[in-house]
Amino acid sequence: MQELRDILPDEIITNTQWRRDYSRFDNGIGTPRNIRDGEGFRVAYIDQMANNFQMTFAQYASAEAAMTHYLRMKDIREGIEEENSIEDFPQPHVLGRGLYGSVALFAVDEFFLEVLVERAPGTSANPTEAIARKALSLLEAARG
């Protein structure tokens, strides 16, 4: 997990420029309360229009434990129907949106990844897929 923390960029470019929001969490890193039996962290970004997103990374002792957390989070995001909809994304995954934003959930071996875009619908193009791709590339780079 430290490798992931070390390579997190200060800026992510999608259809807009996102910068790390160091003010949102102490030292720019948050500790999710819903990560059980694993190690995880959350990092926030903000764009010039004050849209926000958070990436949560967690590592578990096994792929089964990561999948258990993935399924729990999927149940919490009840109503998301775009499951496994992007062929080149790791399977399983969920990508969906609702009234208050969008979410992408992944279980990749012993890792769980969530991208949560907090945005008002229609204020900008939905960057969830692009941000999820960046988050997945960070995970891949950290794993070597």
Side-chain angles (χ1 to χ4, degrees), residues 47-89:
D47 75 359
Q48 56 270 37
M49 299 298 292
N51 293 308
N52 297 288
F53 79 80
Q54 296 180 64
M55 291 188 293
T56 302
F57 296 92
Q59 183 175 18
Y60 290 87
S62 68
E64 293 79 20
M67 181 59 71
T68 298
H69 185 73
Y70 166 85
L71 293 172
R72 187 164 33 107
M73 293 306 294
K74 181 181 156 200
D75 286 346
I76 288 171
R77 308 285 185 210
E78 185 178 320
I80 293 176
E81 298 189 18
E82 296 182 47
E83 186 171 15
N84 305 323
S85 59
I86 301 176
E87 288 184 16
D88 67 330
F89 272 0

Side-chain angles (χ1 to χ4, degrees), residues 10-123:
D10 281 328
E11 182 178 277
I12 293 177
I13 305 294
T14 61
N15 56 340
T16 188
Q17 179 181 8
W18 301 87
R19 68 182 195 291
R20 282 278 298 274
D21 185 358
Y22 288 95
S23 66
R24 196 154 192 185
F25 305 116
D26 289 339
N27 300 320
I29 302 286
T31 304
R33 289 185 226 138
N34 63 351
I35 304 294
R36 301 180 196 135
D37 303 321
E39 175 188 359
F41 69 91
R42 183 172 286 144
V43 62
Y45 288 80
I46 190 168
D47 75 359
Q48 56 270 37
M49 299 298 292
N51 293 308
N52 297 288
F53 79 80
Q54 296 180 64
M55 291 188 293
T56 302
F57 296 92
Q59 183 175 18
Y60 290 87
S62 68
E64 293 79 20
M67 181 59 71
T68 298
H69 185 73
Y70 166 85
L71 293 172
R72 187 164 33 107
M73 293 306 294
K74 181 181 156 200
D75 286 346
I76 288 171
R77 308 285 185 210
E78 185 178 320
I80 293 176
E81 298 189 18
E82 296 182 47
E83 186 171 15
N84 305 323
S85 59
I86 301 176
E87 288 184 16
D88 67 330
F89 272 0
Q91 305 294 330
H93 72 270
V94 170
L95 183 69
R97 66 181 123 180
L99 181 60
Y100 298 106
S102 301
V103 66
L105 303 174
F106 300 91
V108 181
D109 300 325
E110 72 274 16
F111 292 92
F112 167 80
L113 169 61
E114 177 184 55
V115 172
L116 180 62
V117 179
E118 305 164 5
R119 59 184 277 284
T123 59

